[in-house]
Amino acid sequence: MIIAVDGPAGSGKSTVCREVAKRLGLRYADTGAMYRTLALASIREKISPSDTNQLIELARRIPLEIHTLTSGRFEIFLAGEKVTETIREPAVNQIVSLIARIPEVRTEMVKRQRALAKSGYLIMEGRDISTVVLPDAEFKFYLDADPSVRAERRWKEDQAKGTVSPLSRVQEDQAKRDEMDRTRDVSPLRVASNAICIDTTGKRVGEVVHIILGKMNVKREKFNAFYAVTRRFLWLLAKAGFGLEIQGAENIPQHGGFIIAANHRSFLDPVVAAIASPRQLTFLARHTLFRNVLFGILIRGLNARPIKRASADRNALRLAAGLIMAGNGILLFPEGTRSADGGFLTPKGGLGYLAVKLGCPVVPMCIKGTFETFPRHAKWPRQGKISVRLGRAVHGDDFGKGIDDGDLYLLIVKEVMRNIEILFSSA
Ligand code: DC
């Protein structure tokens, strides 16, 4: 999934994009930061903003490194130095538009931006993302707001960072940059014909995010009160009884379907996963568990859905796909069954199939301590400590296209298992 967002300075793009990225577990890329870093490098190398040839040469060789994280965080490095904050300085503001209007500079930056977007699952913001950089993006938005509101937002941001320029100066600078961005010959700021326009004047961040998610038709699981109460109760029990410790729950996207992939060693694992996930999960459970009518009603009430092991994977995958597309989070155990000796088993490919076909995030989860507290043939749990670690989501899109589908599914599953094992060794 790729979302392209364009709009003038101060339209709220960055804040909104970071929030959407966080909620959907997407990577976030700020392309303005790339032009800014170039401007910063030119200042440091004492290249005049009018020396086009030197600027083009700089754009071609600049050692830019970009770290995009699914938590909505974005860091940019110039020759190994983190400059994410430095590039917001007034000296950069003053010259960046002059540099961004040089066609050859843009060609170079666009190349890098496309490379960044290659692995997909990303929200990218700028001025020409939906028109030039990623014209095939699945979703395109154009954010705008009253010029005075936009200038005030920038001014407040600057103040918070300790930069003191009068509001009138910020307004003037912004008007100049707007003009340059809109009237330049190459890739001027304009609304793509199929973009959705949102006026953010007077709207809170949450409202704009809500509009975007609504337009994208992103769904979420239905709230289940019985599940919520039971989870709370079990959480207290697990804290008191097993000193349950959870880290990394923020890696679960706040909207849309997703998969939690966990290692499996004990009957306690689904319960522990449910406690650790801030969003309510749906579980695929062996149909024999529903034979006891009362127990069946209980687990159905807790979002368990029966699957037949015998008719195996095709039906289970179909059910899982439907649930994910409807905006649910499901728990899967890539190893298929509980490990008898507490070690890791070879994972199966079904998880990879879902990740690729649905393009949904797969959040790796390691569950440690359940084997010791409740192993396979035990009747009752024993004393012990349980800890859970969740890692950054893995996306089907992260992996090379052109690989044979079957190989790709296994590659993803292996990567997820590798992440689980890394989390396990650090837990
Ligand atoms: O979004 P920003 O203020 O950080 O952008 C800095 C400058 O870079 C601004 O003058 C517009 C320009 N820019 C551009 O020309 N194309 C982009 N895709 C992103 C930013």
Side-chain angles (χ1 to χ4, degrees):
M1 180 201 297
I2 293 197
I3 312 176
V5 181
D6 291 309
S11 56
K13 288 190 309 286
S14 302
T15 324
V16 166
C17 288
R18 275 199 298 266
E19 191 55 32
V20 172
K22 234 195 282 177
R23 299 223 189 157
L24 296 178
L26 304 172
R27 284 194 303 267
Y28 158 68
D30 169 8
T31 59
M34 297 170 74
Y35 292 99
R36 284 174 176 274
T37 307
L38 195 58
L40 178 69
S42 77
I43 295 170
R44 288 184 176 175
E45 295 198 16
K46 302 198 169 36
I47 301 173
S48 152
S50 58
D51 191 341
T52 308
N53 287 337
Q54 282 230 50
L55 288 168
I56 296 170
E57 196 262 329
L58 178 66
R60 289 186 180 143
R61 69 174 158 83
I62 187 170
L64 262 187
E65 204 185 310
I66 289 159
H67 292 187
T68 53
L69 299 179
T70 45
S71 52
R73 269 188 32 226
F74 173 89
E75 304 287 4
I76 191 156
F77 296 79
L78 171 60
E81 175 197 343
K82 188 160 103 179
V83 293
T84 322
E85 298 300 325
T86 324
I87 55 171
R88 307 281 152 199
E89 284 173 3
V92 171
N93 286 344
Q94 269 163 22
I95 60 164
V96 63
S97 292
L98 293 169
I99 296 177
R101 68 180 180 180
I102 304 171
E104 291 87 346
V105 164
R106 298 201 70 83
T107 309
E108 191 54 44
M109 292 298 124
V110 169
K111 217 193 301 172
R112 294 177 192 230
Q113 288 152 13
R114 286 188 182 144
L116 208 59
K118 221 176 188 160
S119 58
Y121 240 83
L122 153 126
I123 182 163
M124 185 177 270
E125 64 144 298
R127 304 290 191 285
D128 58 342
I129 310 305
S130 46
T131 51
V132 176
V133 182
L134 306 170
D136 297 329
E138 281 160 88
F139 299 101
K140 297 179 179 181
F141 293 95
Y142 186 92
L143 268 49
D144 207 344
D146 242 39
S148 59
V149 170
R150 293 195 284 114
E152 205 177 315
R153 283 180 187 156
R154 263 290 143 94
W155 179 69
K156 278 191 184 147
E157 268 173 34
D158 290 351
Q159 289 232 315
K161 284 183 202 139
T163 318
V164 272
S165 7
L167 178 60
S168 58
R169 168 85 186 276
V170 176
Q171 267 168 338
E172 268 168 42
D173 281 357
Q174 178 186 278
K176 257 192 241 161
R177 279 197 292 143
D178 274 2
E179 179 66 14
M180 264 193 258
D181 293 342
R182 287 198 165 109
T183 57
R184 67 184 173 217
D185 294 335
V186 271
S187 316
L189 171 65
R190 63 180 179 83
V191 188
S193 58
N194 49 357
I196 296 166
C197 295
I198 304 174
D199 183 352
T200 65
T201 312
K203 289 195 181 73
R204 279 177 283 115
V205 177
E207 276 175 80
V208 182
V209 171
H210 190 74
I211 296 173
I212 290 182
L213 298 179
K215 297 281 182 200
M216 291 171 63
N217 202 13
V218 175
K219 301 188 177 83
R220 253 193 81 137
E221 76 279 9
K222 286 202 185 78
F223 180 72
N224 175 341
F226 178 52
Y227 182 119
V229 172
T230 312
R231 174 177 175 251
R232 188 78 199 149
F233 171 71
L234 291 172
W235 185 76
L236 292 171
L237 212 62
K239 271 255 173 241
F242 303 111
L244 177 67
E245 186 213 359
I246 303 160
Q247 272 182 30
E250 69 281 1
N251 287 303
I252 293 184
Q254 294 170 22
H255 276 81
F258 66 99
I259 299 173
I260 288 185
N263 58 317
H264 196 14
R265 290 162 186 208
S266 158
F267 261 141
L268 288 182
D269 294 338
V271 179
V272 171
I275 298 172
S277 169
R279 277 183 61 191
Q280 298 190 342
L281 302 175
T282 302
F283 309 89
L284 307 182
R286 224 179 312 148
H287 74 291
T288 49
L289 285 175
F290 294 79
R291 275 195 194 135
N292 178 314
V293 178
L294 275 183
F295 189 67
I297 292 173
L298 175 73
I299 58 175
R300 209 179 266 280
L302 293 170
N303 292 355
R305 302 284 172 269
I307 48 162
K308 274 196 182 132
R309 271 284 163 81
S311 67
D313 297 338
R314 188 119 44 85
N315 284 337
L317 285 181
R318 205 174 292 146
L319 176 63
L323 287 165
I324 295 166
M325 283 192 293
N328 295 286
I330 63 163
L331 173 69
L332 290 182
F333 297 117
E335 297 157 298
T337 183
R338 275 170 299 155
S339 153
D341 61 359
F344 291 101
L345 305 176
T346 310
K348 305 211 162 66
L351 169 71
Y353 171 85
L354 290 172
V356 172
K357 294 293 177 205
L358 306 178
C360 65
V362 180
V363 182
M365 172 190 275
C366 104
I367 304 175
K368 197 169 184 174
T370 50
F371 182 75
E372 291 72 15
T373 46
F374 200 7
R376 207 175 169 131
H377 298 293
K379 276 229 158 81
W380 299 102
R382 304 169 192 157
Q383 253 199 334
K385 180 164 175 60
I386 299 179
S387 46
V388 178
R389 298 272 186 286
L390 293 104
R392 274 170 55 194
V394 172
H395 298 283
D397 298 358
D398 288 344
F399 297 83
K401 302 276 182 270
I403 308 176
D404 180 61
D405 267 3
D407 292 344
L408 183 59
Y409 304 155
L410 272 180
L411 197 70
I412 292 168
V413 176
K414 281 190 187 143
E415 176 62 12
V416 171
M417 265 329 272
R418 197 179 67 85
N419 286 355
I420 294 174
E421 288 180 33
I422 293 171
L423 291 168
F424 197 88
S425 55
S426 70

